[in-house]
């Protein structure tokens, strides 16, 4: 008797689970998103786009049976997402019939820019940028297209699960938390623990942003070692040009505007993610490397007996036990670099072991007018004049370096992303 | 053993040279010189300018229409001809019906070597005359229609770094082709329409022809070169790229959308377009010609049917 009751209970529970499973409460929303945004109430595609993903230009409506329809943004207003008999469907009168997806399971949205794309890099150049949407679309096979009332819909059918196929032995993987680790694709080119999630790529438990084949071996930590080594027997000047990326240097080279740096041997430097001054400085000024969450200061490991001048703008990212000299834009010309340069000229005549000069205007101008703007190239030319005078007058060793690169979005320069242009800085011992 | 391998390779190459295939939907027809010789032969005369001289040639071979009839190919929009070296041209059905192209087996009464057997389209420049054809693909393909959005290619390239000697080309500066595409397209796959200033266009598969292409910058013009295509297919003065609803226009060369409409023969274009500058949408007449200083700040044009 007890046995029968237990069996009955189990049957009832199983039945309830089946009913619950049949009643989908939500539609998965995937693709090029900046966060998690499932659909759990009836809506229209255009309303959902306006409220959640205003930049979306395509959507892929995916049914549970693997049939999908790709439509462009101007068709969104004709699609309603409705729930009928506990199932979600897309409903439309004006669009081709392939847009009517029964038992709608997922909607993937495409927008041109996404935070969570996967950058495939090789040495100092990009090989591919895979967005979560393009990866999702690769899971489908194109069947054909149809049109109605000037609206076009493309029909797809799901074929397989997305996976990478990488033809190399090893890659450096960089995650959104800044962690770096080497991964080793198997003989089929697949990477263990790699998967496409709703709006990002996952490696183990991390959000994967970069897979880098043969990345530059030089890092800011190694640059730091070179500076410390030179400091043992020499006076050293470190000139940090904020935002001077490896690709901007190559761009100037292509335009024949590289000038004096064209005669110098400069190298690409890989900076930590996210590429920003605070993060990179932490690698450069402390022996521990990336430590931005803890209290750090400029060159804590260089003994007090050594004389250091640190020339910064009107504020410093980190404190220092050494002489930290801040500057303001005294002549109101919109740049503090000229004031920093004047101080540097004065300080190099004083007794010291290391002078650290941080020029900011190239980064500032990039944010203002764009990474490759004429204005930014003019700022570079100004900084070169400072460099020429400093190298002519300095008796010691000079290290030239930068903290990160920059790329354009909406006409303005930005960094802090996993774009290769942000991740590659420069270094060279120019004297 | 080594000799046998070499001989096998040569044999395979010879086989490749003398046989071509016609792909129509799922069906593949193989045909060789004998098949072509057994069809009714016609003669066409062509005139070409070569080194400031007019060169006249008499060609003889089966009409393309005869070949299509033999294989019962009547319903199609385009034929795509691909040569052994991946050189590729497309002919519209209308062109085939009016121009009466032939597959020439003879030139000026001399039999052509098998690898010189050539598509002759009398009314077209000889860059369309594919030699050493390996494949004729029958396509029921509509020309790309009006795009929904046209991005300003120069605005896009202003935000991209130039490279000296972009691989594998030397003594030049330019961009990788994928730099201009950026992340604007949902997927970099399938056919891309590319149009030059003088109206020459190619529809090219991205993976096969364009994934390693570069845009060489010369006198403010972009030259599309790719190690994946023979030099004869490189496009001088590229002005327009389109994949599905999204297009890119080189506005330094063409600063009016109505010019694009004429160039592309779009039917029923809208009277007005919207241009986006610094996030603001401005309505303009389709016929508006933008000043160079004005157009360089425009991010994209919205085209509504």
């Amino acid at each position: 008797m007890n046995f029968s009751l237990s069996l009955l209970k189990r049957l009832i529970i199983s039945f309830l689970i089946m009913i619950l499973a049949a009643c989908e409460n939500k539609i998965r929303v995937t693709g090029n998103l900046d966060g998690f945004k499932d659909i759990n109430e009836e809506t229209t595609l255009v309303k959902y786009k306006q409220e959640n993903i205003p930049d979306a230009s395509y959507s892929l409506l995916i049914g549970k049976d693997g049939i999908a329809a790709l439509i462009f943004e101007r068709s969104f207003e004709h699609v309603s997402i409705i729930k009928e008999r506990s199932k979600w469907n897309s409903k439309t009168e004006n669009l081709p019939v392939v847009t009517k997806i029964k038992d709608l399971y997922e909607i993937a949205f495409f927008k041109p820019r996404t935070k969570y794309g996967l950058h495939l890099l090789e040495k100092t150049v990009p090989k591919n940028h895979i967005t979560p949407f393009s990866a999702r679309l690769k899971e489908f096979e194109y069947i054909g297209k149809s049109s109605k009332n000037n609206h076009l819909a493309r029909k797809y059918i799901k074929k397989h699960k997305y996976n990478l196929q990488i033809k190399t032995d090893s890659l450096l993987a960089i995650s959104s938390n800044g962690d770096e680790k080497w991964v080793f694709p198997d003989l089929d080119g697949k990477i263990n623990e790699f998967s496409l999630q709703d709006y990002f790529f996952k490696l183990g438990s991390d959000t994967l942003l970069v897979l880098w084949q043969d990345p530059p071996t030089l890092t800011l930590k190694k640059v730091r070692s070179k500076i410390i080594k030179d400091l043992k027997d020499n006076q050293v000047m470190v000139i940090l040009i904020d935002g001077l990326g490896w690709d901007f240097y190559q761009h100037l080279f292509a335009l024949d505007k590289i000038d004096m740096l064209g005669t110098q041997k400069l190298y690409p430097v890989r900076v930590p993610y996210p590429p920003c001054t605070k993060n990179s400085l932490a690698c450069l000024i402390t022996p521990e490397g990336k430590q931005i969450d803890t209290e750090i200061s400029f060159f804590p490991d260089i003994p007090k007996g050594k004389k250091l001048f640190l020339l910064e703008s009107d504020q410093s990212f980190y404190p220092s036990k050494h002489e930290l000299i801040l500057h303001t834009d005294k002549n109101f010309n919109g740049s503090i670099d000229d004031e920093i340069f004047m101080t540097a000229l004065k300080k190099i005549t004083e007794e010291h072991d290391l002078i650290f000069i941080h020029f900011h205007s190239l980064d500032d101008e990039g944010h203002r007018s764009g990474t490759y703007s004429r204005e930014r190239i003019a700022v570079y030319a100004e900084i070169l004049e400072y460099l020429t005078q400093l190298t002519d007058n300095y008796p010691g060793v000079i290290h030239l370096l930068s903290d990160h690169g920059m790329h354009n979005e909406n006409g303005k320069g930005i960094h802090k992303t996993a774009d290769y242009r942000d991740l590659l800085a420069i270094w060279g011992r120019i004297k | 053993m080594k000799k046998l391998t070499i001989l096998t390779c040569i044999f395979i190459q010879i086989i490749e040279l003398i046989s071509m295939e016609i792909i129509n939907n799922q069906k593949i027809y193989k045909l060789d010189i004998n098949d072509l010789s057994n069809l009714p032969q016609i003669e066409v005369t062509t005139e070409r300018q070569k080194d400031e001289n007019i060169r006249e040639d008499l060609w003889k071979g089966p009409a393309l229409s005869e070949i299509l009839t033999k294989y019962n190919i009547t319903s199609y929009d385009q034929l795509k001809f691909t040569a052994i070296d991946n050189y590729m041209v497309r002919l519209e059905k209308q062109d085939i019906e009016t121009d009466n192209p032939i597959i020439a087996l003879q030139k000026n009464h001399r039999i052509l070597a098998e690898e010189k057997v050539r598509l002759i389209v009398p009314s077209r420049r000889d860059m369309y005359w594919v030699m050493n054809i390996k494949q004729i693909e029958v396509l029921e393909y509509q020309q790309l229609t009006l795009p929904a959005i046209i991005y300003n290619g120069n605005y896009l390239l202003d935000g991209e770094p130039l490279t000296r000697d972009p691989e594998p080309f030397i003594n030049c500066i330019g961009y990788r082709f994928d730099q201009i595409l950026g992340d604007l397209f949902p997927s970099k796959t399938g056919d891309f329409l590319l149009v030059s200033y003088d109206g020459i266009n190619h529809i090219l598969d991205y993976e096969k022809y364009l994934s390693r292409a570069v845009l060489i910058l010369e006198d403010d013009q972009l030259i599309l070169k790719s190690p994946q295509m023979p030099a004869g297919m490189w496009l001088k003065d590229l002005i327009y790229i389109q994949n599905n609803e999204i297009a890119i226009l080189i506005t330094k060369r063409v600063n009016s959308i109505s010019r694009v409409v004429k160039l592309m023969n779009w039917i029923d274009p809208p009277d007005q377009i919207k241009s986006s500058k610094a996030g603001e949408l401005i309505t303009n007449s389709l016929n508006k010609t933008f000043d160079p200083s004005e157009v360089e700040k425009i991010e994209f044009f919205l085209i509504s049917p």
Side-chain angles (χ1 to χ4, degrees):
Chain A
M1 185 63 183
N2 273 346
F3 176 74
S4 305
L5 261 177
S6 154
L7 186 68
L8 187 66
K9 264 187 199 169
R10 279 186 198 178
L11 279 171
I12 290 168
I13 290 166
S14 305
F15 182 67
L16 284 172
I17 289 171
M18 278 168 66
I19 288 185
L20 280 172
C23 302
E24 290 290 349
N25 287 325
K26 59 180 186 177
I27 300 171
R28 277 173 72 196
V29 177
T30 62
N32 295 359
L33 316 174
D34 295 334
F36 194 70
K37 291 164 182 182
D38 282 343
I39 294 175
N40 49 24
E41 58 185 31
E42 291 191 347
T43 184
T44 61
L45 211 52
V46 71
K47 185 170 175 242
Y48 184 81
K49 167 198 145 77
Q50 282 162 357
E51 289 172 358
N52 297 285
I53 320 159
D55 300 343
S57 53
Y58 282 93
S59 75
L60 184 70
L61 307 165
I62 307 168
K64 240 183 191 162
D65 57 0
I67 301 288
L70 180 70
I71 54 170
F72 188 67
E73 181 261 336
R74 70 179 168 207
S75 305
F76 285 11
E77 63 178 304
H78 301 290
V79 179
S80 303
I81 308 297
I82 54 162
K83 201 171 188 181
E84 290 170 319
R85 290 193 211 124
S86 76
K87 283 183 179 170
W88 292 97
N89 300 318
S90 60
K91 200 175 167 187
T92 176
E93 296 305 323
N94 297 320
L95 303 187
V97 71
V98 296
T99 321
K100 291 181 185 176
I101 301 286
K102 284 182 182 165
D103 207 354
L104 188 63
Y105 166 73
E106 178 184 338
I107 304 177
F109 283 96
F110 170 79
K111 63 170 184 152
R113 284 189 193 95
T114 177
K115 269 162 79 174
Y116 300 110
L118 175 59
H119 297 266
L120 300 181
L121 312 179
E122 186 181 344
K123 294 177 182 163
T124 57
V125 289
K127 297 313 278 183
N128 203 354
H129 182 225
I130 306 165
T131 69
F133 182 89
S134 64
R136 179 71 74 218
L137 196 59
K138 278 218 157 133
E139 295 182 327
F140 292 80
E141 186 188 326
Y142 176 62
I143 304 290
K145 62 185 173 186
S146 54
S147 63
K148 185 178 172 186
N149 302 327
N150 264 330
H151 291 276
L152 203 67
R154 295 176 181 85
K155 191 176 179 181
Y156 288 81
I157 186 158
K158 187 153 184 178
K159 277 286 164 190
H160 49 78
K161 216 170 165 214
Y162 179 76
N163 218 325
L164 281 173
Q165 283 193 310
I166 308 261
K167 290 176 193 158
T168 186
D169 295 343
S170 58
L171 294 149
L172 181 73
I174 303 175
S175 304
S176 61
N177 58 7
D179 284 353
E180 296 180 358
K181 69 174 178 185
W182 287 90
V183 292
F184 306 94
D186 64 18
L187 290 175
D188 297 328
K190 294 194 173 82
I191 294 170
N192 195 24
E193 293 192 309
F194 169 86
S195 61
L196 167 65
Q197 300 292 305
D198 286 353
Y199 60 93
F200 60 93
F201 297 92
K202 199 169 159 187
L203 183 67
S205 57
D206 297 331
T207 300
L208 181 66
L209 297 177
V210 180
L211 284 173
W212 207 331
Q213 185 185 342
D214 300 326
T217 50
L218 197 59
T219 59
L220 284 172
K221 203 173 176 185
K222 287 182 181 166
V223 169
R224 175 196 154 77
S225 302
K226 291 174 192 292
I227 294 169
I228 299 292
K229 197 176 166 192
D230 282 345
L231 197 55
K232 281 183 185 156
D233 305 310
N234 306 282
Q235 276 190 316
V236 176
M237 178 187 281
V238 176
I239 302 173
L240 169 64
I241 303 180
D242 206 307
L244 175 57
W246 175 253
D247 83 297
F248 182 67
Y249 168 71
Q250 296 294 323
H251 179 71
L252 294 167
F253 187 58
L255 290 175
D256 272 333
K257 299 212 165 164
I258 197 72
D259 213 322
M260 73 166 275
L261 289 189
T263 59
Q264 301 288 344
K265 186 83 182 148
L266 296 178
Y267 301 88
V269 179
R270 188 160 52 78
V271 303
Y273 179 86
C276 59
T277 305
K278 194 172 183 184
N279 215 1
S280 294
L281 267 184
C283 282
L284 199 68
I285 65 173
T286 66
E288 298 85 7
K290 200 163 72 107
Q291 291 264 323
I292 55 171
D293 295 331
T294 55
E295 274 191 21
I296 59 171
S297 65
F298 269 92
F299 300 110
D301 53 331
I302 296 179
K304 263 195 164 174
K306 293 268 185 189
K307 182 97 174 147
L308 269 67
F309 296 133
L310 308 167
L311 276 54
E312 265 293 356
S313 63
D314 54 353
Q315 55 184 323
S316 173
F317 283 101
Y318 299 110
S320 177
K321 64 184 180 185
H322 306 289
E323 191 172 337
L324 181 61
I325 306 164
L326 300 182
H327 295 80
T328 53
D329 183 12
K330 278 187 187 162
N331 56 8
F332 302 107
N333 69 346
S335 168
I336 304 178
D337 282 1
D338 48 343
E339 282 84 4
I340 292 176
F341 166 66
M342 292 311 289
T343 307
L345 272 186
K346 226 183 284 170
K347 286 290 174 190
I348 58 178
T349 61
E350 294 179 19
E351 192 191 321
H352 68 276
D353 296 289
L354 185 143
I355 180 163
F356 182 92
I357 305 163
H358 186 170
F359 289 130
H360 292 260
S361 55
L362 195 73
D363 184 65
D364 296 343
E365 189 55 54
H367 287 302
R368 208 164 24 235
S369 63
T371 314
Y372 312 100
S373 66
R374 284 183 286 269
E375 294 86 342
R376 193 167 188 241
I377 292 171
V379 168
Y380 168 80
E382 275 171 30
I383 293 174
L384 277 194
E385 282 184 25
Y386 303 153
L387 282 186
T388 308
Q389 288 201 50
L390 289 170
T391 44
D392 285 350
N393 291 295
Y394 196 66
V397 174
I398 301 180
H399 289 255
L400 176 78
L401 59 95
S402 62
D403 49 352
H404 56 78
M406 183 176 272
H407 76 282
N408 258 33
E409 277 185 20
N410 298 322
K412 308 238 181 260
I414 65 157
H415 46 92
K416 299 185 187 173
T417 78
D419 190 291
Y420 79 104
R421 291 165 287 199
D422 297 4
L423 288 171
L424 286 172
I426 62 159
W427 170 83
R429 196 185 273 109
I430 61 170
K431 187 171 180 183
Chain B
M1 185 64 191
K2 208 173 174 181
K3 274 184 185 168
L4 185 69
T5 314
I6 293 167
L7 281 172
T8 312
C9 288
I10 292 169
F11 179 71
I12 289 168
Q13 286 237 317
I14 290 169
I15 292 289
E16 269 193 342
L17 288 174
I18 60 172
S19 71
M20 70 174 84
E21 60 183 23
I22 299 178
I23 302 177
N24 185 17
N25 282 328
Q26 307 288 333
K27 292 177 192 153
I28 299 175
Y29 308 106
K30 298 262 183 200
L31 66 161
D32 58 23
I33 292 292
N34 285 335
D35 297 322
L36 293 170
S37 304
N38 290 336
L39 288 166
Q41 309 286 301
I42 60 167
E43 287 182 344
V44 294
T45 307
T46 58
E47 277 186 0
R48 287 180 284 170
Q49 187 150 1
K50 287 275 175 194
D51 306 326
E52 295 177 0
N53 297 318
I54 301 288
R55 191 165 132 189
E56 198 171 277
D57 293 303
L58 177 70
W59 307 87
K60 192 175 178 186
L64 194 58
S65 55
E66 284 287 346
I67 301 171
L68 297 177
T69 308
K70 183 183 174 185
Y71 294 100
N72 208 14
I73 298 164
T74 50
S75 169
Y76 68 97
D77 294 316
Q78 282 185 339
L79 294 183
K80 185 167 99 176
F81 298 81
T82 311
I84 296 282
D85 64 354
N86 268 347
Y87 191 82
M88 188 265 282
V89 300
R90 289 167 192 257
L91 291 181
E92 302 286 323
K93 186 177 189 178
Q94 197 189 346
D95 298 334
I96 294 164
E97 286 172 351
T98 55
D99 290 349
N100 201 17
I102 67 166
I103 303 288
L105 305 177
Q106 283 184 35
K107 180 185 171 187
N108 301 330
H109 306 293
R110 286 188 170 189
I111 293 171
L112 289 167
E114 281 163 347
E115 71 276 12
K116 301 273 184 188
V117 167
R118 191 171 190 183
L119 169 75
I120 301 293
V121 193
S123 64
R124 294 284 189 101
R125 290 159 60 179
D126 57 5
M127 61 180 289
Y128 284 89
W129 303 359
V130 187
M131 227 183 313
N132 218 348
I133 301 164
K134 81 172 170 198
Q135 193 180 76
I136 303 172
E137 202 176 341
V138 180
L139 300 173
E140 288 194 18
Y141 183 85
Q142 304 292 320
Q143 268 283 10
L144 287 170
T145 48
L146 203 66
I149 182 165
I150 301 178
Y151 285 93
N152 179 353
N154 292 104
Y155 182 86
L156 297 170
L157 289 178
D158 280 349
E160 291 294 325
L162 269 167
T163 306
R164 183 172 282 191
D165 298 341
E167 277 186 26
F169 302 98
I170 55 165
N171 301 324
C172 58
I173 57 169
Y175 306 91
R176 296 184 320 280
F177 182 66
D178 69 353
Q179 280 181 268
I180 197 168
L181 303 186
D183 285 336
L184 301 176
F185 298 85
S187 159
K188 282 179 203 156
T189 53
D191 287 340
F192 278 70
L193 168 68
L194 305 162
V195 184
S196 70
Y197 190 82
D198 55 5
I200 291 170
N201 66 66
H202 287 315
I203 296 174
L204 299 173
D205 179 76
Y206 183 82
E207 280 299 322
K208 195 170 172 187
Y209 292 100
L210 298 169
S211 59
R212 291 168 56 208
V214 299
L215 297 171
I216 305 294
L217 185 63
E218 259 181 43
D219 303 327
D220 264 356
Q221 295 180 16
L222 295 168
I223 304 164
L224 179 101
K225 293 185 180 182
S226 170
Q228 297 159 291
M229 46 170 117
M233 282 174 74
W234 296 349
L235 268 186
K236 278 183 189 163
D237 205 359
L238 177 75
I239 55 157
Y240 185 81
I241 303 164
Q242 188 180 343
N243 172 260
N244 296 328
E245 287 85 356
I246 298 170
I248 296 171
L249 178 69
I250 303 302
T251 53
K252 269 190 184 168
R253 301 289 295 140
V254 177
N255 54 357
S256 158
I257 299 299
S258 62
R259 261 227 52 205
V260 187
V261 170
K262 276 183 204 143
L263 198 67
M264 310 298 295
N265 290 323
W266 284 327
I267 303 157
D268 295 334
D271 298 330
Q272 293 185 323
I273 52 162
K274 285 179 180 156
S275 57
S276 170
K277 195 160 71 174
E280 198 188 340
L281 279 177
I282 303 154
T283 303
N284 307 110
S285 154
L286 179 77
N287 298 319
K288 179 181 164 85
T289 300
F290 293 90
D291 290 334
S293 61
E294 187 185 8
V295 80
E296 71 176 14
K297 295 188 183 89
I298 292 175
E299 294 152 46
F300 57 81
F301 302 93
L302 285 179
I303 317 287
S304 299

